[in-house]
Amino acid sequence: MAQKVKLSTIGESLGVSTATVSLALRDSPLVAEATREKVKAHALEMGYIYNRRAASLRTSKSGILGVVVHDIMNPFYGEILRAIEMELDRSRQTFILSNHYDRVEKQRDFLETLMQLGADGVIMSPAIDTPASDMELLQKNGLPTVLIARSVPEVDLPVFRGDDKFGISLATNHLISLGHKRIAMIGGTDKTSTGRDRYEGYVEAMHKAGLEVKDEWRIVGPRTKAAGFEAAGQFLALPDKPTAAVCWNDLAAIGLMSGIARAGLRPGIDISVTGYDDLEEASIATPALTTVHNGQPEVGRLAARAMLDRIEGKHSAHGELTLIKPELHIRQSTSKVVERL
Amino acid sequence: MAQKVKLSTIGESLGVSTATVSLALRDSPLVAEATREKVKAHALEMGYIYNRRAASLRTSKSGILGVVVHDIMNPFYGEILRAIEMELDRSRQTFILSNHYDRVEKQRDFLETLMQLGADGVIMSPAIDTPASDMELLQKNGLPTVLIARSVPEVDLPVFRGDDKFGISLATNHLISLGHKRIAMIGGTDKTSTGRDRYEGYVEAMHKAGLEVKDEWRIVGPRTKAAGFEAAGQFLALPDKPTAAVCWNDLAAIGLMSGIARAGLRPGIDISVTGYDDLEEASIATPALTTVHNGQPEVGRLAARAMLDRIEGKHSAHGELTLIKPELHIRQSTSKVVERL
DNA sequence: CTGAAAGCGCTTACAG
DNA sequence: CTGAAAGCGCTTACAG
């Protein structure tokens, strides 16, 4: 590769100062129009590449935004990321991504990297058991932070997520209205706010309807298709044979339906199943999945918007919680109760 | 936030030079052990954050690696990314990700950003119609490049991908051996090397077996579940009623099966379907999908390894093509031919 | 409207 | 083993 072209290279060959070149390239009105155009044409011709590191060192703005989630391969996060990407596309921010796989150390490593790169902010779905001190470190180092999907107890930061308790009650009540009385809850964990809130909402809805909730009817854990698939055996062997399953998310629900079908029963007919999230593939599954719209596009868009506003100094919002209103989408995976023999 | 802690802050409070602090923090043997430990303890205590931009400006190594694919929400790329991430985890490289959605301009923007950030390299699955000049620009600016999944015509760079032509012949021959004679090909496009190679391989296998291939039996396009799902109607209405479908990838195959099931036929029994890629969810689908292992983990691992080697100056490999050997995984979505009425 | 100079926070020869 | 100094490529007051 040839000698690197920099501002001074352009300046010298044009007989102007680097300051002028710098201003011209950034469309400063301080520079005469004729000069500006001459500089720009020359920069293009010489194959000039702007050195962001140098600029960033000087201005302490990096144009980098961090995004951390549990796992980008999970379509729930994928759909949020897509919305973030779209919103950011209009700005000049580059976003850099990381999975934490719910390992606090991996998350910490990435946050440290962001600080080293002088990131302008971070949008994150915090790992399970994230200590408040990790979040405080970000504040101390001036890294604006916005939370998505999950809250961190005792931490005062803007959060964008769905109203889990209300959302799961929609699914549970729908099954109750179809005559189901023995309803199991599959998936999730008490270690996240979503896990706790959704279980609580399910229990409350059952009790309000005067229905019994058995501890054994809760299968803790599944969050993926594979895990939902594997849970089918356990579900079908549950005491008192529940006729329906409220799943913690769509992936577990789709996996569970597949497992039920393998066992020779018909999901949506013999066993009713609800999901949560309304992933794009929920409507494509067979049977199409009855599920709760959890607002991934809104969460991503609003979180990105809030971050951009903060970077642009529009306001320094503190700790408000924005709940997206869930909606029930009824499809073919739920139907009137059929007693199992 | 308090005054920023930098090397000189530590140096001053300890009565040593910034050079010594710098060396000590990087474990240079030039620094006395006692000094090193004193410096490190102090840095930790003062909450020192290493400024990578400054270091990178000086050394022209950024520790940043770019990864560009069509769409990270596609599990095919997700599985490759996971492997890249694992391989990179052991190094100190940060990777930054972008989708190009097969839009050459979006890809170009991101490559420009990488050059601005002084990235150490880029691993990419090039967008459709990527001009050779875009790739040459990278070389001119000293950005090492490794290609995955797709080749770019006329461009001499290392490529890691599956042997598409051979792989699709495994699927096609498997169906032929089950007695299928009218086999359709669903999905893919002539605009990518994978689309061309797989269609060619399918045609060749059919001809070798003395079977006819009709133009109408090719449904160009589907690459996602949604598209595969929608293609089911078209497939079922095809002239001469094919009894089997070779799909361009697993997503299209899974979608197609779902669409076939909705239409009241039984995929795997009434219609045989093969996929391509062997995604993690292929084995979970019902019926479990017969498909071709396309080596995503190997592709990711090898590409990342090649990139790291190049960064570390181990060798400057040029333009060799590494083909991963495909393997047929037979499951429940294929069975002996049943004539359709 | 343009230029000379300082400085962002590191690392790397070089000298001792 | 340690320090003083230069320089990476920008941007930003400041002066004219």
Side-chain angles (χ1 to χ4, degrees):
Chain A
M1 100 208 200
Q3 200 62 14
K4 207 98 189 171
V5 178
K6 46 192 175 180
L7 291 189
S8 62
T9 323
I10 301 174
E12 277 162 28
S13 91
L14 238 43
V16 298
S17 72
T18 60
T20 300
V21 177
S22 171
L23 292 168
L25 289 178
R26 283 175 297 135
D27 284 320
S28 162
L30 286 173
V31 176
E33 170 119 13
T35 315
R36 202 190 313 161
E37 281 172 11
K38 207 170 48 175
V39 168
K40 283 190 165 185
H42 220 71
L44 199 62
E45 191 185 332
M46 299 180 85
Y48 171 67
I49 303 277
Y50 179 68
N51 188 326
R52 276 219 222 183
R53 294 167 288 177
S56 162
L57 183 58
R58 180 60 227 252
T59 62
S60 60
K61 288 247 151 215
S62 63
I64 288 176
L65 217 65
V67 180
V68 203
V69 298
H70 174 81
D71 181 4
I72 58 166
M73 273 192 63
N74 183 320
F76 169 72
Y77 291 110
E79 292 179 10
I80 292 179
L81 292 177
R82 180 104 83 202
I84 292 177
E85 182 188 29
M86 280 177 58
E87 192 69 28
L88 257 39
D89 232 23
R90 285 175 248 159
S91 77
R92 295 301 309 164
Q93 298 283 326
T94 301
F95 74 97
I96 94 176
L97 219 60
S98 182
N99 302 314
H100 54 55
Y101 300 121
D102 276 324
R103 298 209 319 264
V104 174
E105 311 74 37
K106 192 159 175 15
Q107 174 176 276
R108 192 148 38 210
D109 269 3
F110 183 68
L111 294 175
E112 167 103 20
T113 296
L114 288 179
M115 294 190 284
Q116 293 181 350
L117 291 170
D120 296 334
V122 59
I123 298 175
M124 58 186 291
S125 176
I128 288 175
D129 293 331
T130 297
S133 60
D134 280 14
M135 298 294 96
E136 283 154 16
L137 190 62
L138 297 178
Q139 306 321 298
K140 211 178 299 173
N141 285 281
L143 191 62
T145 309
V146 162
L147 264 30
I148 49 176
R150 298 176 182 171
S151 304
V152 177
E154 331 243 320
V155 167
D156 188 45
L157 285 169
V159 185
F160 296 87
R161 58 179 181 85
D163 186 344
D164 291 308
K165 216 165 145 181
F166 176 68
I168 205 79
S169 77
L170 294 176
T172 313
N173 288 335
H174 168 63
L175 289 169
I176 292 170
S177 77
L178 289 169
H180 294 273
K181 294 187 190 323
R182 299 188 313 283
I183 304 173
M185 166 114 197
I186 315 294
T189 154
D190 277 340
K191 291 183 182 168
T192 64
S193 58
T194 50
R196 288 188 296 271
D197 292 355
R198 290 184 199 163
Y199 184 64
E200 220 175 276
Y202 148 81
V203 170
E204 250 179 43
M206 293 290 278
H207 284 166
K208 260 192 203 153
L211 295 174
E212 193 186 2
V213 173
K214 296 208 178 190
D215 280 350
E216 306 93 287
W217 289 352
R218 181 182 193 193
I219 300 182
V220 176
R223 302 197 272 175
T224 62
K225 269 185 216 177
F229 181 77
E230 277 170 29
Q234 192 183 342
F235 167 77
L236 293 173
L238 243 31
D240 303 310
K241 305 202 172 194
T243 59
V246 170
C247 293
W248 177 76
N249 70 2
D250 282 359
L251 295 178
I254 292 170
L256 184 74
M257 292 203 301
S258 187
I260 288 171
R262 286 281 182 97
L265 289 167
R266 294 163 301 174
I269 298 174
D270 301 318
I271 305 278
S272 285
V273 176
T274 64
Y276 204 104
D277 289 341
D278 197 19
L279 299 180
E280 286 164 12
E281 70 176 283
S283 62
I284 294 169
T286 295
L289 185 64
T290 295
T291 183
V292 179
H293 171 78
N294 195 15
Q296 292 85 279
E298 291 95 317
V299 166
R301 191 170 48 75
L302 292 173
R305 195 61 256 162
M307 179 52 70
L308 289 175
D309 283 351
R310 186 172 279 215
I311 289 174
E312 290 159 10
K314 282 210 193 124
H315 71 218
S316 60
H318 265 291
E320 71 273 25
L321 168 64
T322 306
L323 284 183
I324 310 296
K325 205 84 198 152
E327 278 170 34
L328 184 67
H329 288 189
I330 299 177
R331 300 202 181 92
Q332 281 74 55
S333 69
T334 47
S335 60
K336 284 235 168 90
V337 64
V338 176
E339 278 306 320
R340 288 169 65 193
L341 307 177
Chain B
M1 100 208 203
Q3 199 62 16
K4 208 97 187 173
V5 178
K6 47 192 175 179
L7 291 188
S8 63
T9 323
I10 301 174
E12 278 162 26
S13 93
L14 237 43
V16 299
S17 72
T18 60
T20 300
V21 177
S22 171
L23 293 167
L25 290 179
R26 283 174 297 136
D27 285 320
S28 163
L30 287 172
V31 176
E33 169 120 13
T35 314
R36 201 190 315 161
E37 281 173 9
K38 207 169 49 175
V39 168
K40 284 190 162 186
H42 221 70
L44 199 64
E45 191 186 332
M46 298 180 86
Y48 171 68
I49 304 279
Y50 179 68
N51 187 327
R52 278 220 221 181
R53 293 168 288 178
S56 162
L57 183 57
R58 180 60 228 252
T59 61
S60 59
K61 289 246 151 215
S62 64
I64 288 177
L65 218 64
V67 180
V68 203
V69 297
H70 173 82
D71 182 4
I72 57 167
M73 271 192 65
N74 183 319
F76 170 72
Y77 291 110
E79 291 178 11
I80 292 178
L81 292 177
R82 179 106 81 203
I84 292 177
E85 181 188 29
M86 279 177 59
E87 193 67 29
L88 258 40
D89 232 24
R90 284 176 247 156
S91 77
R92 294 302 307 163
Q93 298 282 327
T94 301
F95 72 99
I96 93 178
L97 219 58
S98 182
N99 302 315
H100 54 55
Y101 299 122
D102 276 325
R103 298 210 319 265
V104 174
E105 312 73 37
K106 194 161 174 12
Q107 175 176 276
R108 192 148 39 210
D109 269 5
F110 184 69
L111 294 176
E112 166 102 21
T113 297
L114 288 179
M115 293 190 284
Q116 293 181 350
L117 291 170
D120 296 334
V122 59
I123 298 175
M124 59 187 290
S125 176
I128 288 176
D129 293 332
T130 297
S133 60
D134 280 15
M135 297 293 97
E136 283 154 16
L137 190 64
L138 298 178
Q139 305 320 298
K140 212 178 297 171
N141 285 281
L143 191 62
T145 308
V146 162
L147 265 29
I148 50 176
R150 299 177 182 170
S151 304
V152 177
E154 331 244 319
V155 167
D156 187 46
L157 285 170
V159 185
F160 296 87
R161 58 179 182 85
D163 186 344
D164 290 307
K165 217 165 146 180
F166 176 68
I168 206 79
S169 77
L170 294 176
T172 312
N173 288 334
H174 167 63
L175 290 169
I176 294 170
S177 76
L178 289 169
H180 295 273
K181 294 189 191 320
R182 301 189 309 286
I183 303 174
M185 166 113 197
I186 316 293
T189 154
D190 276 340
K191 292 184 183 167
T192 64
S193 58
T194 50
R196 288 187 296 272
D197 292 355
R198 289 183 201 164
Y199 184 64
E200 220 175 278
Y202 148 81
V203 170
E204 251 179 43
M206 292 290 278
H207 285 165
K208 259 192 204 153
L211 295 174
E212 193 188 3
V213 172
K214 298 209 178 192
D215 280 350
E216 307 93 286
W217 289 351
R218 182 183 193 192
I219 300 182
V220 176
R223 303 198 272 175
T224 61
K225 268 186 218 178
F229 181 76
E230 277 169 28
Q234 192 182 342
F235 167 77
L236 293 173
L238 243 30
D240 304 311
K241 303 199 172 197
T243 59
V246 170
C247 293
W248 178 76
N249 70 1
D250 282 0
L251 294 179
I254 291 171
L256 184 75
M257 292 203 301
S258 188
I260 289 171
R262 285 281 182 98
L265 289 167
R266 293 162 301 172
I269 297 172
D270 302 317
I271 306 278
S272 285
V273 175
T274 63
Y276 204 105
D277 289 341
D278 197 18
L279 299 180
E280 285 164 14
E281 69 176 285
S283 63
I284 293 168
T286 295
L289 184 65
T290 294
T291 184
V292 179
H293 170 78
N294 195 15
Q296 291 86 279
E298 291 94 319
V299 165
R301 191 169 49 73
L302 292 174
R305 194 62 255 161
M307 181 52 72
L308 290 175
D309 282 351
R310 186 172 278 216
I311 289 175
E312 291 160 9
K314 282 207 191 129
H315 71 217
S316 58
H318 265 288
E320 70 272 27
L321 169 64
T322 306
L323 284 183
I324 309 297
K325 204 86 199 148
E327 278 170 34
L328 184 68
H329 287 190
I330 300 176
R331 300 204 180 92
Q332 281 75 54
S333 69
T334 46
S335 60
K336 283 235 169 88
V337 64
V338 176
E339 279 306 320
R340 287 169 65 194
L341 306 178

